[in-house]
Amino acid sequence: MYHYSANVSHPAAGSAAGVLDPVPADSRDAIVFQRCTWCGTAMYHRLLCPVCQGSELRTERSEGVGTVRHSTVVHRNTPAARNVSLIEMAEGFVVRGRVMGPPVGIHSGDRVRLSTAQDPVRGEPVFQLLDEPYRGAWA
């Protein structure tokens, strides 16, 4: 029976799930995500695939277009109200971020595009509305 020594470094099966890979200079204003090489599931900042538990994940660059799935207004730990939204990206993964605009004007189903890859204060992606949705004259 053979036991691995704790002093010896052993390479992992994947590339550390892409989370620890350096971000290319041309994708500083882009969202990078992982895709499982076994089942093709797209995910954001994971070490293992949530579907098949595979560790072989490759890093890809997102186009930056998505749809708001959930948005809420937060008043805590901030001088002004802000929104926190869950955005489902076109590639199939979900990311938490902030949508620019009035917090009460962001609704589920709104289409958004990545504005900057990171909020300078909170470090989460910032999105902007693609087109102003029609809400009706008395909404």
Side-chain angles (χ1 to χ4, degrees):
M1 186 167 173
Y2 179 77
H3 294 284
Y4 289 110
S5 171
N7 297 339
V8 178
S9 163
H10 301 285
S15 63
V19 175
L20 303 176
D21 291 346
V23 178
D26 64 339
S27 64
R28 293 271 182 225
D29 288 334
I31 293 180
V32 290
F33 66 99
Q34 294 84 26
R35 186 173 304 276
C36 180
T37 57
W38 289 97
C39 68
T41 302
M43 67 217 75
Y44 185 67
H45 288 286
R46 296 285 187 109
L47 294 175
L48 295 175
C49 175
V51 175
C52 70
Q53 302 300 314
S55 62
E56 293 183 24
L57 308 175
R58 67 179 182 268
T59 303
E60 295 182 12
R61 184 174 184 266
S62 172
E63 294 295 321
V65 178
T67 304
V68 176
R69 286 295 161 223
H70 179 74
S71 184
T72 187
V73 178
V74 177
H75 298 277
R76 187 178 339 141
N77 298 331
T78 183
R82 64 182 176 93
N83 75 331
V84 176
S85 301
L86 292 177
I87 311 294
E88 183 178 343
M89 302 303 289
E91 293 81 9
F93 65 96
V94 177
V95 64
R96 177 183 158 188
R98 182 173 62 88
V99 179
M100 292 189 299
V104 295
I106 312 301
H107 302 283
S108 296
D110 289 346
R111 293 185 44 210
V112 294
R113 177 178 298 279
L114 182 68
S115 176
T116 59
Q118 282 194 342
D119 183 332
V121 176
R122 291 186 166 65
E124 55 191 21
V126 179
F127 297 89
Q128 62 185 2
L129 289 171
L130 268 179
D131 36 43
E132 191 63 32
Y134 177 71
R135 300 274 181 232
W138 50 83

